Every structure is written in structure tokens, then in C-alpha cells.
Amino acid sequence: SQQGEEDPQALSIQEGENATMNCSYKTSINNLQWYRQNSGRGLVHLILIRSNEREKHSGRLRVTLDTSKKSSSLLITASRAADTASYFCATVSMDSSYKLIFGSGTRLLVRP
Amino acid sequence: DTGVSQNPRHKITKRGQNVTFRCDPISEHNRLYWYRQTLGQGPEFLTYFQNEAQLEKSRLLSDRFSAERPKGSFSTLEIQRTEQGDSAMYLCASSLMAAAVNYGYTFGSGTRLTVV
């Protein structure tokens, strides 16, 4: 079952602009991860934020986590055409399976 | 060993036929997960293995689906008597159990199944 919603479902921006995607989830989590998926391909891990962390940076990526609101956001700064992809948040379950539970994704289009 | 390998990349089959997909994880990874993704949706968990033991199956995995991981290495996912609703991308991911809470998972490129 899907973990929660991602907002917006689709986003179109100009190259050089920032892109912000939001994710909500329903259950307690071990950590939250963001993945990118190019059309018809597998998922690529971008960044992981633990439940006791509030913000994390990696290159042009910035992730925030608010466990009280059960929400996270992914900011991509200075976007490039190559950032065009679908972005998914995924929570890691608290049980020993550590399985990923994905949101519905945001489709990002960066126009050159 | 550069990552998780899935074969075939694409499979077109007639309704009612059986299909089998293969996943080769990163060699030292003891955890292997299968997910299904339909168009426009996020991946949904199907099942996972720790070494050769299948530890959990979701309710999405009907009795027409079976997965194996002999000797804790590669895994196969078989769908018997395929239905049009089985059309989806089937994704495999692997990880080290001990690292699961600290690192991301490595996914294969997936097998896209089309049932006609």
C-alpha cells in the first residue's frame, strides 16, 4: 500500500529555478529516503534522512523532515534539464523488514 | 559486480501464459526485495528475502505469484496464468541488513511486463 501523498503530482519549471516537492506519510518511521526515476528505468537513491534529523544536504539537494507533521520536503536548487524525472519519497518501516513504502511521486519537468 | 541486474528488461506475453523474471543482487547483499510499479504510481512492496528465506509476502502477492532465492544468491519471480492486470514494472532491490537503516537501497532497472 502507498505510504502517503506527494505534492505536487507534477511540476514544470525553467532551468535554473528551484524545485520543491513535498511528501506526507502515515506511520512512524525509521528513516525517510528520496529516489529519482527516469522514464522507464529503475530508481536511484538520492538522500536519506533519519527520524532524529531535521535537515540534510547533498550537493544541490536539501531535505527536511518534520516528524510531528509526518512530512518531508525535497528542494533541488539551480535545476538542470537533466533533473527531469519522477521523484519518490519512501519511508523505511520500523519493523525488522526495513522495507520501503513509497509515495505516489512527483513528475518534474525542467525546461531548457 | 556493478549493481543489481534484472532480466529480461521487457517481456510481452499472452494472457494465461507463465512468466519468470530474474534478479541478481549485489553479491554481498543478504536482503533482496521485489516491488511492482504500475504506470504513474510509486512502487508497491511484494516480498523480501533474507539470504534464502522468504520472510514476508504482501497481500498483493496472490497465489499465482511465487518467488524464490535459492542459495541466497539470485532470485526469481514467477507469475502463473498471467492476467492483463499483471502488466507492470517489476523492480528488484538489494541491501545489507546491517546497513538498511543508514544507507539507501540499490535497485535494478526493472522488468516491464506487458500482458496482451
Side-chain angles (χ1 to χ4, degrees):
Chain A
S1 61
Q2 299 291 313
Q3 172 66 288
E5 294 298 316
E6 291 190 49
D7 172 54
Q9 290 186 334
L11 180 61
S12 179
I13 59 173
Q14 203 71 36
E15 204 166 27
E17 294 180 339
N18 295 343
T20 300
M21 295 160 241
N22 302 295
C23 162
S24 64
Y25 58 92
K26 298 175 182 175
T27 60
S28 297
I29 62 171
N30 193 310
N31 65 61
L32 185 144
Q33 305 178 20
W34 285 87
Y35 287 81
R36 183 185 73 205
Q37 185 178 38
N38 289 87
S39 180
R41 308 287 298 185
L43 293 100
V44 175
H45 176 256
L46 295 176
I47 194 167
L48 178 154
I49 186 165
R50 296 183 182 83
S51 58
N52 62 352
E53 297 176 315
R54 292 298 166 257
E55 187 171 313
K56 202 158 183 182
H57 297 254
S58 177
R60 294 185 296 113
L61 304 179
R62 173 178 166 250
V63 170
T64 63
L65 179 65
D66 186 336
T67 53
S68 66
K69 295 181 180 178
K70 291 187 168 57
S71 66
S72 173
S73 68
L74 172 68
L75 168 68
I76 304 174
T77 60
S79 63
R80 306 165 181 169
D83 295 329
T84 294
S86 291
Y87 291 81
F88 295 93
C89 71
T91 54
V92 175
S93 58
M94 291 290 283
D95 61 35
S96 60
S97 73
Y98 300 135
K99 60 181 177 283
L100 294 170
I101 304 172
F102 286 86
S104 50
T106 293
R107 293 185 303 281
L108 174 66
L109 171 65
V110 182
R111 304 186 305 276
Chain B
D1 191 321
T2 57
V4 177
S5 176
Q6 289 190 248
N7 288 288
R9 287 293 315 280
H10 303 275
K11 178 71 176 178
I12 300 174
T13 191
K14 291 184 177 179
R15 189 173 50 188
Q17 297 294 304
N18 299 346
V19 294
T20 300
F21 313 138
R22 176 176 171 130
C23 172
D24 287 90
I26 292 173
S27 57
E28 62 266 29
H29 284 183
N30 54 6
R31 286 276 177 108
L32 186 148
Y33 299 81
W34 284 99
Y35 289 83
R36 182 175 73 184
Q37 184 180 25
T38 53
L39 204 60
Q41 299 297 314
E44 295 177 292
F45 169 78
L46 291 178
T47 188
Y48 87 98
F49 293 83
Q50 180 167 309
N51 300 314
E52 67 275 7
Q54 187 175 19
L55 296 185
E56 185 177 341
K57 295 190 288 187
S58 88
R59 287 175 294 177
L60 293 175
L61 217 63
S62 75
D63 56 7
R64 295 185 298 105
F65 288 70
S66 62
E68 295 182 339
R69 193 184 181 196
K71 302 178 183 177
S73 56
F74 70 92
S75 176
T76 59
L77 178 66
E78 180 184 17
I79 309 175
Q80 296 182 327
R81 305 180 304 280
T82 51
E83 301 172 356
Q84 286 189 321
D86 297 331
S87 295
M89 173 81 88
Y90 290 84
L91 294 161
C92 174
S94 71
S95 74
L96 272 172
M97 180 188 170
V101 294
N102 294 314
Y103 300 98
Y105 293 69
T106 304
F107 279 82
S109 296
T111 294
R112 180 166 295 285
L113 172 67
T114 302
V115 181
V116 297

